[in-house]
């Protein structure tokens, strides 16, 4: 049930000027430029990656969308948008690694799901991702994590296989982290391409 009376300070002001209520997010307060700006500045793997730049969540989201299409050619535009936006809530809450979430014991998933639903509604995607698409995105996400882990985060292939599984039917991806401005621009460009074409 939406929390109309958010505690003082339970909102964030975005560079667009929007004020997003974190406990009861409105689709009207969500802009793709704010999402891209935030995701381009959030580091995957808590920043523990090789390269001159952190590997951003924006770049990760684009990788997941590309892998999802390779896993299921002909994926509909709405499904591709869902893949691109799968980690969009992290523009507000950051990329909290799973071990940290478990250690703190707070249910971040509910907050993430409410925010993701608002993001979906804002951009014309079904609020709750259908289960078959959810599974495909999870599979693409695990494949992306495998490539990131082995190329950027110092994991050997055996360890990455144990944690994420080995990507099957997906060509190897060569990853080179982009700087935040490039990641932001590319994310918006990809979003606009998907928005414009059925």
């Amino acid at each position: 049930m939406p929390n109309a009376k958010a505690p003082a300070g339970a909102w964030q002001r975005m560079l667009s000027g929007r004020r997003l209520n974190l406990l009861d997010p409105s689709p009207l307060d969500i802009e793709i430029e704010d999402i891209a700006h935030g995701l381009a500045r959030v580091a995957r793997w808590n920043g523990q990656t090789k390269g001159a730049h952190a590997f951003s969540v924006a770049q990760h989201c684009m990788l997941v969308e590309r892998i999802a299409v390779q896993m299921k050619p002909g994926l509909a535009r709405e499904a591709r948008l869902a893949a691109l936006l799968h980690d969009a809530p992290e523009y507000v809450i950051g990329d909290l690694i799973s071990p940290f979430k478990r250690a703190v014991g707070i249910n971040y998933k509910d907050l993430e799901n409410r925010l993701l639903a608002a993001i979906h509604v804002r951009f014309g995607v079904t609020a709750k991702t259908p289960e078959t698409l959810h599974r495909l995105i999870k599979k693409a996400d695990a494949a992306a994590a495998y490539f990131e882990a082995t190329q950027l985060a110092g994991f050997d292939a055996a360890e990455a296989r144990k944690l994420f599984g080995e990507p099957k039917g997906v060509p190897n991806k060569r990853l080179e982290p982009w700087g935040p401005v490039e990641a932001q621009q590319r994310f918006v460009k990809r979003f606009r391409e998907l928005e414009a074409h059925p």
Side-chain angles (χ1 to χ4, degrees):
M1 180 169 148
N3 183 350
K5 292 187 176 181
W11 57 269
Q12 180 173 340
R13 185 192 183 284
M14 303 297 168
L15 285 177
S16 65
R18 300 282 189 191
R19 287 167 58 106
L20 182 66
N21 181 330
L22 302 181
L23 300 178
D24 187 20
S26 167
L28 299 175
D29 293 325
I30 295 168
E31 299 293 342
I32 197 63
E33 290 80 7
D34 292 331
I35 292 173
H37 183 89
L39 294 184
R41 287 156 179 80
V42 174
R44 291 271 293 163
W45 308 95
N46 270 353
Q48 298 298 308
T49 51
K50 301 172 187 171
H53 301 288
F55 190 78
S56 71
V57 174
Q59 190 171 354
H60 165 78
C61 286
M62 294 179 68
L63 177 61
V64 169
E65 187 252 335
R66 190 172 55 174
I67 291 172
V69 171
Q70 289 176 326
M71 289 179 164
K72 187 165 176 137
L75 200 59
R77 182 188 69 88
E78 182 179 330
R80 295 178 82 158
L81 275 171
L84 182 69
L85 297 169
H86 79 282
D87 277 340
E90 294 178 10
Y91 89 107
V92 174
I93 61 177
D95 185 18
L96 300 173
I97 61 172
S98 298
F100 178 79
K101 291 178 188 177
R102 284 192 294 271
V104 174
I106 297 171
N107 184 5
Y108 287 99
K109 208 68 199 160
D110 184 52
L111 181 66
E112 283 177 315
N113 288 339
R114 272 186 277 153
L115 188 49
L116 186 59
I119 290 166
H120 278 189
V121 170
R122 170 68 176 87
F123 300 118
V125 176
T126 305
K128 182 166 173 37
T129 306
E131 189 54 38
T132 53
L133 177 57
H134 178 73
R135 283 197 302 269
L136 174 66
I137 292 171
K138 280 289 188 195
K139 197 172 167 185
D141 193 41
Y146 176 90
F147 294 129
E148 293 166 20
T150 53
Q151 294 181 42
L152 302 173
F155 289 63
D156 63 35
E159 186 180 12
R161 269 195 305 273
K162 185 177 175 184
L163 291 169
F164 311 111
E166 187 166 8
K168 292 187 167 92
V170 180
N172 188 38
K173 308 291 178 211
R174 283 197 48 154
L175 304 179
E176 185 67 40
W178 306 323
V181 173
E182 182 178 3
Q184 179 177 343
Q185 290 171 343
R186 286 191 184 209
F187 185 91
V188 171
K189 182 175 184 281
R190 185 65 189 132
F191 173 84
R192 296 291 179 215
E193 288 168 354
L194 290 172
E195 188 181 46
H197 301 294

